[in-house]
Amino acid sequence: MRITETADLWYKNAIVYCIDPETFLDSDGDGIGDLNGLAQRVDYLAEIGVTCLWLMPFYPSPRRDNGYDIADMYGVDPRYGNHGDFVELVRIAHDRGLRVIIDLVINHTSDQHPWFRKARASKDNPYRDFYVWRSDTPPDTSEESMFPDSENGIWTHDEKTGEWYLHHFLHTQPDLNTANPQVRDAIAKTMGFWLQLGVDGFRVDAVPFAINQTTFEGHDKNELEEPHDYLRSLRAFLARRSSGNGAAIMLGEVNLPHEEQLTFFGGSDGDQLTMQFDFYTNQKTFLALARQDAAPLIEALNSRPKDIGVEPQYANFLRNHDELTLDLLPEDEQNEVLDTFGPEEEHRFAGRGLRRRLPPMFDGDPRRLKMAYSLLFALPGTPVLFYGEEIGMGENLEVDGREAVRTPMQWTDEKNGGFSSAAPSKLARQVTEGPYGPAHVNAADCRRNKDSLLHHITRLAKRYRESPELGWGDYAVLDQPNPSVLAHHVTWKDRSMVLLHNLGAEPVVVPLTLEEEEPGTQLVDLMSEESCELDQDSSTDSQLDGYGYRWLRIKRADDPRLV
Ligand code: NOJ
């Protein structure tokens, strides 16, 4: 094998870390996190082993949707800094070996964006066709809104011109008409701009909505390109603009069943999104965790389309900045997860998900948390962390809606958790209080404590990086008799590993037979001192504690790696 392949397709064994610049670190004492603050903490992230920063929207925005309502796609909101600060940050990250991707919102803008202001001014305005309008009264679309708590449909009547405009999210986020070649050009130009400033790609927001047929309504279908051609053209543009700098990526948010995700990779051509979050596996993982039964997770892994070619890649995550959405699960399964991990009404968001971080869902059980993060790094694909996960931050249910999980990063046990020197009343978002507040959970304490989640995740990151078979390999779920256990085998070229995770609280023995391996082969546990050897039948029994995990490398004489 050539190890350089892992440098070319760098994202296939990257460790992605998502940051909201508003809540990470405030460097100028105004209560709002900023790019300068973030730059101060790149070394902290490098030390964990993060290899790619994902910056959530930092663009000028009225922030009705945490910055996903963009008023200027080329800008930096002055509250976070300016273009100079952005370039400094990218420069520092690159120097420390980290790549940087940024959110790209192609489905909608803010209603404050100059395009929409002009579009709504008159029906014959050149920007009118940047958005999607209808003149007849829309039917009941209350079921189609992504924010049913605050919107009663996906069309809003515009007084001035007497027509309705489309918005799948808030009415302050009008959907762009992505069938319009001028819109496509404008989006590509935006990508070109940020690539020129050094970014390594984009997390592409709400992709299925952006190529949704409703968005194309009112256009002569015969004249339209196939909607997926739009993604193809963006990917081709990205390749042209990033050649020579190492591959830039599009990591798409596509919350759809596996079969449909395949289309968004571009089928076997692999010419659309470079990566996609695996929402289906995420939701089935939570069902498996709730039941302490690996079966739903096994089903998800087995149903993942494998024929996606070499370049595309799945991104795995446990929690992100949104609610833990369960919408791909049937209702009874949704209810199981909601009842187990969000028993109170205040834990829930829009009836479909949980506005919680992981540690409180597990009642703070450190063994269970460590197992869950081991699983995240061990799943085939690229792991993505949300800021604060590495130290075990909890949510703040005092804060409304999804903001509950977007509280300031907890650096120390000092005022405002070390996030800002401003008066607490001036903070962009309230710091978490109680058992998950900075007095008990903060990065500084975690650094000093070898048993902390931070140390655990740092170790997982190291082992993950030196085991490219996890990001690159073929995988198979192994048969074994314990329902609470996921046992899987990954193999890439001449490298193989067996990974064991016990989702249950009781200890178990996992009998393993690796028929393809020679008797006497050593299985080296990368997470502990305990190794074992295959017997005459190429079998062994592996002990797992309650919520135990093992990363067993199959040791080969010619493997150049240190174990
Ligand atoms: C997905 C983002 O993750 C979410 O936070 C946002 O509200 C919607 N897209 C709309 O942009």
mmCIF file of all heavy atoms in Angstrom, residues 434-452:
data_model
loop_
_atom_site.group_PDB
_atom_site.id
_atom_site.type_symbol
_atom_site.label_atom_id
_atom_site.label_comp_id
_atom_site.label_asym_id
_atom_site.label_seq_id
_atom_site.Cartn_x
_atom_site.Cartn_y
_atom_site.Cartn_z
ATOM 1 N N GLY A 434 -25.149 24.536 36.879
ATOM 2 C CA GLY A 434 -25.432 23.239 37.497
ATOM 3 C C GLY A 434 -24.306 22.242 37.311
ATOM 4 O O GLY A 434 -23.152 22.625 37.070
ATOM 5 N N PRO A 435 -24.625 20.945 37.394
ATOM 6 C CA PRO A 435 -23.571 19.920 37.410
ATOM 7 C C PRO A 435 -22.714 19.883 36.139
ATOM 8 O O PRO A 435 -21.610 19.360 36.157
ATOM 9 C CB PRO A 435 -24.340 18.610 37.575
ATOM 10 C CG PRO A 435 -25.776 18.921 37.405
ATOM 11 C CD PRO A 435 -25.964 20.379 37.603
ATOM 12 N N TYR A 436 -23.244 20.417 35.037
ATOM 13 C CA TYR A 436 -22.445 20.446 33.803
ATOM 14 C C TYR A 436 -21.848 21.825 33.544
ATOM 15 O O TYR A 436 -21.283 22.072 32.487
ATOM 16 C CB TYR A 436 -23.290 19.990 32.605
ATOM 17 C CG TYR A 436 -23.621 18.515 32.702
ATOM 18 C CD1 TYR A 436 -24.828 18.099 33.243
ATOM 19 C CD2 TYR A 436 -22.700 17.564 32.314
ATOM 20 C CE1 TYR A 436 -25.120 16.743 33.377
ATOM 21 C CE2 TYR A 436 -22.973 16.209 32.445
ATOM 22 C CZ TYR A 436 -24.184 15.810 32.977
ATOM 23 O OH TYR A 436 -24.449 14.472 33.113
ATOM 24 N N GLY A 437 -21.987 22.715 34.494
ATOM 25 C CA GLY A 437 -21.428 24.058 34.342
ATOM 26 C C GLY A 437 -19.912 24.032 34.470
ATOM 27 O O GLY A 437 -19.310 23.012 34.832
ATOM 28 N N PRO A 438 -19.259 25.186 34.206
ATOM 29 C CA PRO A 438 -17.795 25.248 34.205
ATOM 30 C C PRO A 438 -17.136 24.868 35.530
ATOM 31 O O PRO A 438 -15.983 24.431 35.536
ATOM 32 C CB PRO A 438 -17.488 26.699 33.857
ATOM 33 C CG PRO A 438 -18.743 27.289 33.359
ATOM 34 C CD PRO A 438 -19.884 26.447 33.803
ATOM 35 N N ALA A 439 -17.871 25.000 36.639
ATOM 36 C CA ALA A 439 -17.252 24.626 37.919
ATOM 37 C C ALA A 439 -16.907 23.134 37.917
ATOM 38 O O ALA A 439 -15.950 22.704 38.574
ATOM 39 C CB ALA A 439 -18.203 24.944 39.069
ATOM 40 N N HIS A 440 -17.658 22.349 37.174
ATOM 41 C CA HIS A 440 -17.443 20.892 37.177
ATOM 42 C C HIS A 440 -16.891 20.364 35.864
ATOM 43 O O HIS A 440 -16.259 19.309 35.832
ATOM 44 C CB HIS A 440 -18.761 20.177 37.484
ATOM 45 C CG HIS A 440 -19.418 20.688 38.720
ATOM 46 N ND1 HIS A 440 -18.994 20.325 39.966
ATOM 47 C CD2 HIS A 440 -20.432 21.582 38.884
ATOM 48 C CE1 HIS A 440 -19.735 20.954 40.870
ATOM 49 N NE2 HIS A 440 -20.599 21.725 40.231
ATOM 50 N N VAL A 441 -17.182 21.059 34.781
ATOM 51 C CA VAL A 441 -16.748 20.581 33.458
ATOM 52 C C VAL A 441 -16.012 21.713 32.752
ATOM 53 O O VAL A 441 -16.632 22.718 32.379
ATOM 54 C CB VAL A 441 -17.973 20.159 32.594
ATOM 55 C CG1 VAL A 441 -17.523 19.722 31.210
ATOM 56 C CG2 VAL A 441 -18.798 19.084 33.284
ATOM 57 N N ASN A 442 -14.719 21.587 32.609
ATOM 58 C CA ASN A 442 -13.973 22.603 31.842
ATOM 59 C C ASN A 442 -12.681 22.002 31.287
ATOM 60 O O ASN A 442 -12.170 21.008 31.808
ATOM 61 C CB ASN A 442 -13.702 23.858 32.686
ATOM 62 C CG ASN A 442 -12.751 23.590 33.833
ATOM 63 O OD1 ASN A 442 -11.559 23.344 33.607
ATOM 64 N ND2 ASN A 442 -13.245 23.606 35.061
ATOM 65 N N ALA A 443 -12.197 22.628 30.222
ATOM 66 C CA ALA A 443 -11.053 22.075 29.492
ATOM 67 C C ALA A 443 -9.780 22.053 30.344
ATOM 68 O O ALA A 443 -8.997 21.095 30.288
ATOM 69 C CB ALA A 443 -10.817 22.889 28.218
ATOM 70 N N ALA A 444 -9.586 23.102 31.151
ATOM 71 C CA ALA A 444 -8.346 23.184 31.936
ATOM 72 C C ALA A 444 -8.252 21.999 32.900
ATOM 73 O O ALA A 444 -7.200 21.353 33.014
ATOM 74 C CB ALA A 444 -8.275 24.504 32.686
ATOM 75 N N ASP A 445 -9.351 21.708 33.610
ATOM 76 C CA ASP A 445 -9.331 20.569 34.541
ATOM 77 C C ASP A 445 -9.119 19.260 33.788
ATOM 78 O O ASP A 445 -8.381 18.380 34.239
ATOM 79 C CB ASP A 445 -10.654 20.485 35.323
ATOM 80 C CG ASP A 445 -10.750 21.569 36.382
ATOM 81 O OD1 ASP A 445 -9.735 22.278 36.592
ATOM 82 O OD2 ASP A 445 -11.835 21.710 36.983
ATOM 83 N N CYS A 446 -9.787 19.137 32.663
ATOM 84 C CA CYS A 446 -9.661 17.892 31.880
ATOM 85 C C CYS A 446 -8.211 17.660 31.464
ATOM 86 O O CYS A 446 -7.739 16.518 31.427
ATOM 87 C CB CYS A 446 -10.510 17.961 30.613
ATOM 88 S SG CYS A 446 -12.241 17.664 30.894
ATOM 89 N N ARG A 447 -7.523 18.739 31.142
ATOM 90 C CA ARG A 447 -6.125 18.577 30.704
ATOM 91 C C ARG A 447 -5.267 17.981 31.797
ATOM 92 O O ARG A 447 -4.329 17.231 31.535
ATOM 93 C CB ARG A 447 -5.546 19.936 30.298
ATOM 94 C CG ARG A 447 -5.856 20.306 28.873
ATOM 95 C CD ARG A 447 -5.718 21.777 28.692
ATOM 96 N NE ARG A 447 -4.318 22.191 28.748
ATOM 97 C CZ ARG A 447 -3.597 22.451 27.659
ATOM 98 N NH1 ARG A 447 -4.136 22.327 26.467
ATOM 99 N NH2 ARG A 447 -2.354 22.849 27.765
ATOM 100 N N ARG A 448 -5.593 18.330 33.036
ATOM 101 C CA ARG A 448 -4.775 17.843 34.157
ATOM 102 C C ARG A 448 -5.157 16.437 34.604
ATOM 103 O O ARG A 448 -4.429 15.820 35.369
ATOM 104 C CB ARG A 448 -4.911 18.806 35.331
ATOM 105 C CG ARG A 448 -3.954 19.953 35.204
ATOM 106 C CD ARG A 448 -4.067 20.895 36.381
ATOM 107 N NE ARG A 448 -4.222 22.231 35.854
ATOM 108 C CZ ARG A 448 -5.308 22.957 35.923
ATOM 109 N NH1 ARG A 448 -6.377 22.520 36.540
ATOM 110 N NH2 ARG A 448 -5.330 24.156 35.398
ATOM 111 N N ASN A 449 -6.314 15.969 34.182
ATOM 112 C CA ASN A 449 -6.823 14.692 34.673
ATOM 113 C C ASN A 449 -6.686 13.601 33.601
ATOM 114 O O ASN A 449 -7.406 13.595 32.604
ATOM 115 C CB ASN A 449 -8.301 14.891 35.062
ATOM 116 C CG ASN A 449 -8.956 13.607 35.490
ATOM 117 O OD1 ASN A 449 -8.331 12.541 35.508
ATOM 118 N ND2 ASN A 449 -10.230 13.696 35.831
ATOM 119 N N LYS A 450 -5.784 12.663 33.854
ATOM 120 C CA LYS A 450 -5.482 11.628 32.859
ATOM 121 C C LYS A 450 -6.677 10.712 32.558
ATOM 122 O O LYS A 450 -6.725 10.042 31.546
ATOM 123 C CB LYS A 450 -4.317 10.742 33.360
ATOM 124 C CG LYS A 450 -2.980 11.449 33.351
ATOM 125 C CD LYS A 450 -2.278 11.235 31.995
ATOM 126 C CE LYS A 450 -0.926 11.896 31.915
ATOM 127 N NZ LYS A 450 -0.967 13.349 31.721
ATOM 128 N N ASP A 451 -7.650 10.692 33.501
ATOM 129 C CA ASP A 451 -8.827 9.844 33.276
ATOM 130 C C ASP A 451 -9.970 10.586 32.590
ATOM 131 O O ASP A 451 -11.070 10.064 32.458
ATOM 132 C CB ASP A 451 -9.367 9.314 34.623
ATOM 133 C CG ASP A 451 -8.376 8.377 35.260
ATOM 134 O OD1 ASP A 451 -7.690 7.658 34.496
ATOM 135 O OD2 ASP A 451 -8.255 8.394 36.501
ATOM 136 N N SER A 452 -9.697 11.816 32.182
ATOM 137 C CA SER A 452 -10.795 12.630 31.643
ATOM 138 C C SER A 452 -11.211 12.166 30.252
ATOM 139 O O SER A 452 -10.472 11.482 29.544
ATOM 140 C CB SER A 452 -10.365 14.098 31.579
ATOM 141 O OG SER A 452 -9.326 14.242 30.627
#
